[in-house]
Every structure is written in structure tokens, then in C-alpha cells.
Amino acid sequence: MNRTYILMALIMFLLGAGLVFLPQPRNNRELSPEQILLSLNEPFRYISTDQAARRIIAGDPALLLIDVRDSAAFAAFSLPGAVNIPFSHILDEENQALLAEGSKDYVFYSNGDILSEKAWLLCSRLRHRKLYILQGGLNHWVETILRPPVPAATSDAAVFDQYDFRMAARMYFTGEGELPGMRKAGESAAQRSVRPIARPSGKRKHEGC
Amino acid sequence: METTDRSKKYINPYLGGVLLGLLLLLTVYITGRGLGASGAVKNAVVASVNEISPAHVKHNAYYSQFISDDVNPLNNWLVFEVIGVLAGAFISGALSGRLKWKVEHQPGIRWRTRLIFAAAGGMLFGIGSQFARGCTSGAALTGSAVLAAGGILTMMMIFGTGYLFARFFRKLWV
Amino acid sequence: MGPLIPQQIIDPAWNNLIGFLVGMCFGLILEASGFSSSRKITGVFYGYDFTVMKVFMTAVAVAMVGLLYFNYFGWIDLSLVYVNPLFLNATIVGGFIMGIGFLMGGFCPGTSFAGAAIGKIDAIVFSLGMFLGILLFSEAFPLVETLYNAGDYGGLTITEVLGISPGLFAFFFVCAMLMLFGILYYFRDKFRKIEI
């Protein structure tokens, strides 16, 4: 009886000791092409301009906007709270360290979304998590948030709600009330104060044990 | 080591441990996640509340994480795993003649006391497992095996608290 | 190669059947090791029965070492394995609550099912209590949401925290375990035995 225990303990000890000397393969650091393809088909990697606006207004601490344009463009115009990581510097050590923290939702944006797509692809391949792309980039931001088109009178309530939100957001971001030559104030949403917008709950699903 | 007549009915704990470890290894190999138990109860809770009041589930920030329109929360592998646990334990109990309705308690306390404390303990375990994202099997056992910091912390917290506060509950057990 | 289901080598439709089979083995092992008895379990805290510690530590060590060897031989991609996210504050609070619950109830969720299956009424009551506890937690969620989400470190591993290689950590773990078992064996006569 006793001998069996000693033998088992010895085997366990040797197996454990073996691990100290065996190098753990690090070939898993990068995603395989198949995995990238899989994640590229994932629609959740986009954040719409409306979602982003809501979260910026709510002051969501879990949101980090990353401007991947060059620093001149960043200096000229950027979203509130964004940090600038020019695309050419994205692999720099300190920038990678920032992404590796994984404690926030990292949202890439550029003028369109070509550059941010590239940044997303590169960083996803390096297995950073919680990466997103601002859908349509700053161009879409201007089209939807800064100059929202007035919906047709026949649109349903949801569209008007969205419009009201956008007008409120516009006021928040620009400080301007009305759009020149657009819908007259009256009951316009521009006069409404920005409603507090709750942060979407359940950002990630945690399976219990 | 364990050669008294009573404990002979149970398998050697080290053998049990090796078997459990191999099972865990196999489970992780197949499913990419480990064993669990409290998650199934959580799904059962979500399913029951959803049955009574779907609107409430949609409204509650906690339930709504675990519900989707097309999948029943009971259609989850953890739920099936727990059904399996019941079946497996029943088989083992039947094989070694341990099937018996019984309230197991220390002779010095009444069975009612035991049941009250069992209910209270279960409740605390339910609450705690939600905070820690798993219980002894899901977080502590599996988590430690995959080297998750959360799992190892959970293990240390459960057993550390157990040892620190054991003296206050001594009457219940010894 | 592995893990099989996340890589779609086995169709996820098999999930539930595999879950059932895995659960069955789990239940068998738990019951056969004596985890269907609350007094046997709590013995670990009062020094009259160390089954829980022996089974638990051995299982963790075997699985941990096994996974690292699997990873070394390329049979499993450990980066695809689910690592429980660490929520520091929530885990400390939750672990504490569970520790007290363990002392009061004498079971943990998995073992309570094993006990319930062979007719232990205290185990059934424990499971019902657990149901109530989770219900309570969910209903009171808005009150505890901040704590629940506090200290989010994501899927952090212990080797990232300590800055050592996984192999070295596993080796330390195995050594600590063997030492502990040695101590238990050496002082085996010093521990009080009680009739359960």
C-alpha cells in the first residue's frame, strides 16, 4: 500500500518537474486564418455611431475610443475622450500594452472604416480582445450625429426617437441647437435636454460554474 | 491509510482525485470549458422566472443576460450535466447500497436545525457563486486547473474562509 | 486539435449529450468518493476527514499537469480554453460568502446534487436553498451591480499575475500538494477519527 503511494507521488513529481523544462509552445499567440475568417463574419465587431454617442454621453468608463488616423488629423478633429494611436504606430510596445490590458471596449475609428478595419484585423490577430470598429468612421459620425437627416414625415416613431436622440447628441457634442435650414424648432428635439442614457447591460455573458 | 470498515465502502480518495482530474481533462479537451454546477441552477432560476413573467426577465439586468428569444435557458449543457450528476450519483449509490431517505446530521443537533442550516448554506452558496462567477466545481476546481487567477482566488477564499470560521460552526458537525 | 467543440470538430449539437455523459461520470466519482455525505465533506475543516482535500487537490493537479502536457504536444490549444474572468472584489466577496455557506450547509452545489440523488434530504434542502439564493441575488441585482462588476481583470491567468511560466507554477502546485499529503500521512494518528 505504502509503496504504491510513494510510486504515485514520484510519478506526479516527475511529471511536474518535466513541465518546468518543457517549453510551452507559443505558436498559439496568433489567430489562425480560419479563426480570423470566423471572427470577420461576426457582426458584433461593429459599434454604430448612435451606440458610441450614447456611451460617450453617458461617460461610460469601459469605453476607449482609439483614433488610428495620423496625429495631425487627430489634432484637427477627434471624438471626446479618444486617444490617438496612428496606424503606423499600432504595433509599438506601449500601444500593444494598452490593448493587452483588455479592461475596456476598444473602439477603433478613422475617417471611413478602412483604416480602422485594418487596425482591428491586426490587433485581433494578436489576440487582443474586446476590439470594435466605429461603423462608418468619422464620416458616418458627421452624417448621423452631427448632421442627422430629418426623417420623412411618414416614418414610424422609432425613427423619430432616433432622430431626437441624434439632435440631442448633436447639441451635446457641438453646443449648437438647430441645423441651418432644417426643421424649425417648435417642439424640436434640439430643445430637449439630453436624456440620461443607461449603459447597455450585459456586455459580456458570463457562464457560471 | 483508510482501512477501517466504514470508509472501505468509498473508493480511495487519491484514486477518486485522479479519476476526477482525468475527467476534468477530458471535459476541457472536448468542450473547452470545465465542469460546473451552480450555473445549471442559475439557468433553472432564469427559466422559472421566465415562465412566470417574461417581462420581468427582460427588465431585470441580471436575468436578461442569460435569456435569448430562440433558446430556452434549460437547453444548456450545464443543465444536462447536472442531470447527469444526479444519474451518476444515483448509480453509484445504488451499487454500494447507499440509497436511503435520510437527514444526515451530527447526533447532538436536531434534524430540524440541520435542515435550517442546510437551507441557509445553500442560499449563501447561491449568492456567493453569482458574485464569484462559479462555485467550487466551476470556478475553484476547473478554474484552478486552467490556471485562471479567478479560479485560484475562489478556491483560496472558499477554503480559507472555511478554516478561519470553522470554529463558529463546530457544534453543527463535530 | 482540441478543444473539440469550440473548433467545431465535434458539432455543438452534441453538447447536451456530452454534458450528460460528463455529468454522469462526475456524479459517479463524487458519490463514490463520499461527497454525498455532508459530514464527510466538512471533516476537512475539523480535522477528522481529509477526503475533500485529497480528492480536490489531486484532481486539480492531474488536470493542470495534463492540460500543460496536452498543450505541449499540441493536442489542445490552451488559448481557446475558457478562462474564468477575474472580478477581484466580487470574487473575494463571493468566495467569502461561499465559505460561510459551506460551513453552514456542508455541501457545495455539485456535491449537493450527488447527495440529493441518493436521498439525502439535507442535500435536497441545500439545493432548494441555492435556488432561492440565486433568485434573491437576481432580484436584488440593481443593489449589488457595482460590486458584481468591480475589479474586472478579464480572463487573467495566475501565471500572468505571478510572472512565471505555467510549467513552473504547476510544478510548485504539485510539490505543495505532495508535501501536504506527506504531512497528512505522517500525522495520520494525531487526527481524531469520528464515526460518521
Side-chain angles (χ1 to χ4, degrees):
Chain A
M1 194 66 173
N2 213 336
R3 198 180 261 170
T4 329
Y5 282 133
I6 291 174
L7 188 69
M8 295 297 277
L10 204 65
I11 291 174
M12 205 60 215
F13 179 81
L14 288 178
L15 281 175
L19 282 175
V20 179
F21 300 106
L22 291 182
Q24 285 291 312
R26 294 178 64 85
N27 54 356
N28 304 327
R29 296 312 297 175
E30 294 188 7
L31 287 184
S32 67
E34 291 79 10
Q35 290 166 322
I36 293 178
L37 183 65
L38 212 63
S39 59
L40 276 175
N41 287 324
E42 179 78 66
F44 300 119
R45 61 200 189 96
Y46 291 107
I47 281 189
S48 74
T49 47
D50 287 317
Q51 282 170 326
R54 267 173 219 279
R55 293 180 62 172
I56 295 172
I57 294 170
D60 187 346
L63 175 77
L64 183 62
L65 291 158
I66 297 176
D67 192 324
V68 292
R69 301 170 306 157
D70 56 33
S71 44
F74 179 76
F77 176 77
S78 67
L79 296 182
V83 297
N84 185 213
I85 301 181
F87 183 66
S88 49
H89 293 289
I90 197 136
L91 292 181
D92 289 3
E93 204 166 309
E94 71 262 28
N95 296 335
Q96 285 298 308
L98 175 75
L99 293 170
E101 279 174 22
S103 55
K104 296 186 176 183
D105 292 340
Y106 301 95
V107 181
F108 293 115
Y109 73 86
S110 53
N111 281 332
D113 45 21
I114 296 179
L115 207 55
S116 43
E117 277 276 6
K118 287 180 186 164
W120 184 91
L121 193 63
L122 207 59
C123 294
S124 293
R125 184 170 169 187
L126 292 169
R127 288 193 180 275
H128 294 303
R129 296 170 314 124
K130 303 208 247 181
L131 303 180
Y132 300 92
I133 298 165
L134 182 68
Q135 195 156 29
L138 286 178
N139 291 340
H140 200 57
W141 176 269
V142 171
E143 281 162 22
T144 53
I145 305 293
L146 300 189
R147 298 174 198 283
V150 182
T154 49
S155 313
D156 62 354
V159 178
F160 275 105
D161 279 351
Q162 188 189 41
Y163 178 73
D164 286 349
F165 165 74
R166 286 176 172 178
M167 288 305 285
R170 168 189 149 76
M171 195 171 77
Y172 177 89
F173 288 116
T174 62
E176 296 167 27
E178 296 163 37
L179 289 177
M182 285 204 180
R183 190 163 89 155
K184 277 275 161 261
E187 35 78 49
S188 152
Q191 289 178 337
R192 291 190 199 168
S193 59
V194 177
R195 274 173 292 172
I197 299 155
R199 173 181 164 193
S201 64
K203 54 189 166 104
R204 228 176 339 139
K205 188 171 161 180
H206 297 292
E207 282 283 346
C209 88
Chain B
M1 233 187 252
E2 324 275 330
T3 43
T4 55
D5 284 339
R6 280 199 70 82
S7 57
K8 208 161 196 179
K9 284 175 33 185
Y10 293 118
I11 58 171
N12 181 307
Y14 299 108
L15 176 64
V18 171
L19 288 177
L20 188 56
L22 291 177
L23 174 70
L24 183 54
L25 182 58
L26 185 73
T27 311
V28 174
Y29 178 70
I30 295 176
T31 66
R33 47 174 63 236
L35 302 164
S38 64
V41 185
K42 181 186 71 196
N43 281 37
V45 171
V46 175
S48 325
V49 178
N50 195 32
E51 200 60 42
I52 298 164
S53 159
H56 182 62
V57 167
K58 282 231 168 59
H59 225 73
N60 181 305
Y62 195 64
Y63 294 130
S64 52
Q65 296 176 59
F66 309 109
I67 200 103
S68 63
D69 290 330
D70 45 341
V71 187
N72 187 319
L74 286 182
N75 182 16
N76 180 293
W77 94 281
L78 272 172
V79 175
F80 283 83
E81 196 219 60
V82 164
I83 297 172
V85 169
L86 292 172
F90 183 82
I91 293 171
S92 162
L95 287 178
S96 41
R98 279 192 290 267
L99 292 181
K100 198 179 161 203
W101 294 108
K102 174 179 174 189
V103 180
E104 188 187 29
H105 60 92
Q106 194 257 338
I109 61 170
R110 282 184 307 178
W111 63 268
R112 211 176 295 139
T113 319
R114 167 73 187 116
L115 289 190
I116 290 169
F117 272 97
M123 228 157 97
L124 288 179
F125 233 112
I127 296 170
S129 63
Q130 300 312 301
F131 275 118
R133 272 84 173 164
C135 58
T136 343
S137 25
L141 181 67
T142 310
S144 305
V146 300
L147 299 171
I152 290 175
L153 182 65
T154 309
M155 173 174 77
M156 296 198 309
M157 279 308 297
I158 293 180
F159 287 101
T161 310
Y163 275 106
L164 272 179
F165 290 85
R167 72 187 85 158
F168 301 115
F169 300 93
R170 194 176 180 86
K171 275 214 181 100
L172 281 176
W173 305 108
V174 187
Chain C
M1 172 93 182
L4 300 181
I5 287 181
Q7 304 205 74
Q8 313 250 322
I9 295 171
I10 294 182
D11 193 89
W14 288 90
N15 243 335
N16 292 345
L17 181 66
I18 291 171
F20 180 76
L21 292 177
V22 162
M24 211 157 103
C25 299
F26 191 29
L28 264 170
I29 297 170
L30 285 180
E31 212 288 331
S33 306
F35 283 8
S36 55
S37 155
S38 53
R39 293 195 69 205
K40 201 166 168 63
I41 293 174
T42 43
V44 74
F45 295 123
Y46 298 103
Y48 60 81
D49 193 316
F50 285 95
T51 312
V52 169
M53 186 178 283
K54 291 171 188 166
V55 173
F56 192 93
M57 296 280 275
T58 318
V60 170
V62 167
M64 187 190 283
V65 170
L67 277 177
L68 290 177
Y69 274 101
F70 270 40
N71 192 38
Y72 174 73
F73 291 118
W75 296 339
I76 193 169
D77 184 346
L78 270 189
S79 56
L80 293 180
V81 169
Y82 176 77
V83 174
N84 317 39
L86 170 65
F87 289 78
L88 190 62
N89 312 22
T91 302
I92 289 176
V93 172
F96 175 78
I97 297 175
M98 283 195 275
I100 300 291
F102 210 161
L103 288 171
M104 287 169 76
F107 285 111
C108 67
T111 54
S112 78
F113 296 135
I118 64 160
K120 291 274 166 65
I121 294 164
D122 43 337
I124 297 172
V125 171
F126 184 95
S127 315
L128 293 178
M130 207 156 59
F131 188 93
L132 266 180
I134 296 178
L135 188 72
L136 213 76
F137 176 89
S138 319
E139 293 302 333
F141 185 64
L143 299 176
V144 294
E145 190 170 359
T146 351
L147 175 60
Y148 179 78
N149 286 318
D152 181 0
Y153 287 87
L156 191 68
T157 62
I158 188 74
T159 51
E160 284 165 354
V161 176
L162 301 178
I164 59 176
S165 80
L168 194 63
F169 181 82
F171 178 63
F172 285 151
F173 188 87
V174 168
C175 288
M177 177 189 80
L178 292 177
M179 244 149 44
L180 194 68
F181 288 169
I183 292 171
L184 286 185
Y185 183 71
Y186 189 76
F187 291 109
R188 64 192 179 284
D189 298 329
K190 292 267 181 0
F191 293 117
R192 181 165 38 126
K193 289 263 188 278
I194 66 167
E195 199 61 13
I196 299 170

